[in-house]
Coordinates of all heavy atoms in Angstrom, one line a residue:
A85 N 12.7 36.4 -15.8 CA 13.8 35.6 -16.4 C 14.1 36.0 -17.9 O 15.2 36.0 -18.4 CB 13.5 34.1 -16.3
E86 N 13.0 36.5 -18.6 CA 13.2 36.9 -19.9 C 14.1 38.1 -20.0 O 15.0 38.1 -20.9 CB 11.8 37.3 -20.5 CG 11.8 37.8 -21.9 CD 12.1 36.7 -22.9 OE1 12.0 35.5 -22.6 OE2 12.4 37.1 -24.1
G87 N 13.9 39.1 -19.2 CA 14.7 40.3 -19.2 C 16.2 40.0 -18.8 O 17.1 40.5 -19.4
Q88 N 16.3 39.1 -17.8 CA 17.7 38.7 -17.4 C 18.4 37.9 -18.5 O 19.6 38.1 -18.6 CB 17.5 37.9 -16.1 CG 16.9 38.6 -14.9 CD 16.1 37.8 -14.0 OE1 16.2 36.5 -14.0 NE2 15.1 38.4 -13.3
F89 N 17.7 37.1 -19.2 CA 18.2 36.3 -20.3 C 18.7 37.3 -21.4 O 19.8 37.1 -21.9 CB 17.1 35.4 -20.9 CG 17.6 34.6 -22.0 CD1 18.0 33.3 -21.9 CD2 17.4 35.1 -23.3 CE1 18.4 32.5 -22.9 CE2 17.8 34.3 -24.4 CZ 18.3 33.0 -24.2
V90 N 17.9 38.3 -21.7 CA 18.3 39.3 -22.7 C 19.5 40.1 -22.3 O 20.4 40.2 -23.1 CB 17.1 40.2 -23.0 CG1 17.5 41.4 -23.9 CG2 16.0 39.5 -23.7
V91 N 19.6 40.6 -21.1 CA 20.7 41.4 -20.7 C 22.0 40.6 -20.6 O 23.1 41.0 -20.9 CB 20.5 42.2 -19.4 CG1 19.4 43.2 -19.6 CG2 20.2 41.3 -18.2
G92 N 21.8 39.3 -20.2 CA 22.9 38.4 -20.2 C 23.5 38.1 -21.5 O 24.7 38.2 -21.8
G93 N 22.6 37.8 -22.5 CA 23.1 37.6 -23.9 C 23.6 38.9 -24.5 O 24.6 38.8 -25.2
L94 N 23.1 40.0 -24.2 CA 23.6 41.3 -24.7 C 25.0 41.6 -24.1 O 25.9 42.0 -24.9 CB 22.6 42.4 -24.3 CG 23.0 43.9 -24.7 CD1 23.1 44.0 -26.2 CD2 22.0 44.9 -24.1
T95 N 25.2 41.4 -22.9 CA 26.5 41.6 -22.2 C 27.5 40.7 -22.9 O 28.6 41.1 -23.2 CB 26.4 41.4 -20.7 OG1 25.4 42.3 -20.2 CG2 27.8 41.6 -20.1
A96 N 27.2 39.4 -23.0 CA 28.1 38.5 -23.6 C 28.5 38.8 -25.0 O 29.6 38.7 -25.4 CB 27.5 37.0 -23.5
C97 N 27.5 39.3 -25.8 CA 27.7 39.7 -27.2 C 28.6 40.9 -27.3 O 29.5 40.9 -28.1 CB 26.3 39.9 -27.8 SG 26.4 40.3 -29.6
V98 N 28.3 41.9 -26.5 CA 29.1 43.1 -26.6 C 30.6 42.9 -26.2 O 31.5 43.3 -26.9 CB 28.5 44.2 -25.6 CG1 29.5 45.4 -25.5 CG2 27.2 44.7 -26.2
L99 N 30.8 42.1 -25.1 CA 32.2 41.8 -24.7 C 32.8 40.9 -25.7 O 34.0 40.9 -25.9 CB 32.2 41.2 -23.3 CG 31.7 42.2 -22.2 CD1 31.8 41.5 -20.8 CD2 32.5 43.4 -22.2
G100 N 32.0 40.0 -26.3 CA 32.6 39.1 -27.3 C 33.0 39.8 -28.5 O 33.9 39.3 -29.2
I101 N 32.4 40.9 -28.8 CA 32.8 41.7 -30.0 C 34.0 42.7 -29.7 O 34.9 42.8 -30.4 CB 31.6 42.5 -30.5 CG1 30.6 41.6 -31.1 CG2 32.0 43.5 -31.6 CD1 29.3 42.2 -31.4
L102 N 33.9 43.4 -28.5 CA 34.8 44.5 -28.2 C 36.1 44.0 -27.6 O 37.2 44.6 -27.8 CB 34.1 45.5 -27.3 CG 32.9 46.2 -27.9 CD1 32.3 47.2 -26.9 CD2 33.2 46.9 -29.2
L103 N 36.1 43.0 -26.8 CA 37.3 42.5 -26.1 C 38.2 41.7 -27.0 O 37.7 41.0 -27.9 CB 37.0 41.7 -24.8 CG 36.3 42.5 -23.7 CD1 36.1 41.6 -22.5 CD2 37.0 43.7 -23.3
D104 N 39.5 41.8 -26.8 CA 40.5 41.0 -27.5 C 41.3 40.2 -26.4 O 42.3 40.6 -25.9 CB 41.4 41.9 -28.3 CG 42.4 41.0 -29.1 OD1 42.2 39.8 -29.3 OD2 43.4 41.6 -29.6
L105 N 40.8 39.0 -26.2 CA 41.4 38.1 -25.1 C 41.7 36.8 -25.7 O 41.2 36.4 -26.7 CB 40.5 38.0 -23.9 CG 40.1 39.3 -23.1 CD1 39.0 39.0 -22.1 CD2 41.4 39.8 -22.5
P106 N 42.6 36.0 -25.0 CA 42.9 34.7 -25.5 C 41.7 33.8 -25.5 O 40.8 34.0 -24.7 CB 44.0 34.2 -24.5 CG 44.6 35.4 -23.9 CD 43.4 36.4 -23.9
A107 N 41.7 32.8 -26.4 CA 40.6 31.8 -26.4 C 40.4 31.2 -25.0 O 41.4 30.9 -24.4 CB 40.8 30.8 -27.5
G108 N 39.3 30.9 -24.6 CA 39.0 30.3 -23.3 C 38.8 31.3 -22.3 O 37.7 31.4 -21.7
L109 N 39.8 32.2 -22.0 CA 39.6 33.3 -21.1 C 38.6 34.2 -21.6 O 37.8 34.7 -20.7 CB 41.0 34.0 -20.9 CG 41.0 35.2 -20.0 CD1 40.6 34.9 -18.6 CD2 42.3 35.9 -20.0
H110 N 38.5 34.5 -22.8 CA 37.5 35.4 -23.4 C 36.1 34.9 -23.1 O 35.2 35.6 -22.7 CB 37.8 35.6 -24.9 CG 37.1 36.7 -25.5 ND1 37.2 37.1 -26.8 CD2 36.2 37.6 -25.0 CE1 36.5 38.2 -27.0 NE2 35.9 38.5 -25.9
A111 N 35.9 33.6 -23.4 CA 34.6 33.0 -23.1 C 34.2 33.0 -21.6 O 33.1 33.3 -21.3 CB 34.6 31.5 -23.6
V112 N 35.2 32.8 -20.8 CA 34.9 32.8 -19.3 C 34.5 34.2 -18.9 O 33.6 34.4 -18.1 CB 36.2 32.3 -18.5 CG1 36.0 32.5 -17.0 CG2 36.4 30.8 -18.8
V113 N 35.2 35.2 -19.4 CA 34.9 36.6 -19.0 C 33.5 36.9 -19.5 O 32.7 37.6 -18.7 CB 36.0 37.5 -19.7 CG1 35.5 39.0 -19.5 CG2 37.3 37.4 -19.0
C114 N 33.2 36.5 -20.7 CA 31.8 36.8 -21.2 C 30.7 36.1 -20.4 O 29.7 36.7 -20.1 CB 31.7 36.4 -22.7 SG 32.7 37.4 -23.8
L115 N 31.0 34.9 -20.0 CA 30.0 34.1 -19.2 C 29.8 34.8 -17.9 O 28.7 34.9 -17.4 CB 30.4 32.7 -19.1 CG 30.3 31.8 -20.4 CD1 31.0 30.5 -20.2 CD2 28.8 31.6 -20.7
A116 N 31.0 35.1 -17.2 CA 30.9 35.7 -15.9 C 30.2 37.1 -15.9 O 29.4 37.4 -15.0 CB 32.3 35.8 -15.3
A117 N 30.5 37.8 -17.0 CA 29.9 39.2 -17.1 C 28.4 39.0 -17.3 O 27.6 39.8 -16.8 CB 30.5 40.0 -18.2
A118 N 28.0 38.0 -18.1 CA 26.6 37.8 -18.4 C 25.8 37.4 -17.1 O 24.7 37.9 -16.8 CB 26.4 36.7 -19.4
A119 N 26.5 36.5 -16.3 CA 25.8 36.1 -15.0 C 25.7 37.3 -14.1 O 24.7 37.5 -13.4 CB 26.7 35.1 -14.4
A120 N 26.7 38.2 -14.1 CA 26.7 39.4 -13.2 C 25.6 40.4 -13.7 O 24.9 41.0 -12.9 CB 28.1 40.1 -13.2
A121 N 25.5 40.5 -15.0 CA 24.4 41.4 -15.6 C 23.0 40.9 -15.2 O 22.2 41.7 -14.8 CB 24.6 41.5 -17.1
G122 N 22.8 39.6 -15.4 CA 21.5 39.0 -15.0 C 21.2 39.2 -13.5 O 20.1 39.5 -13.1
M123 N 22.3 39.0 -12.7 CA 22.1 39.2 -11.3 C 21.8 40.6 -10.9 O 20.8 40.8 -10.1 CB 23.4 38.7 -10.6 CG 23.4 38.9 -9.0 SD 25.0 38.4 -8.3 CE 25.0 36.7 -8.5

Side-chain angles (χ1 to χ4, degrees):
E86 178 72 14
Q88 297 146 23
F89 179 93
V90 169
V91 296
L94 177 63
T95 301
C97 183
V98 170
L99 295 183
I101 293 170
L102 298 181
L103 294 183
D104 183 15
L105 295 172
L109 176 61
H110 197 174
V112 171
V113 169
C114 291
L115 289 168
M123 178 181 290

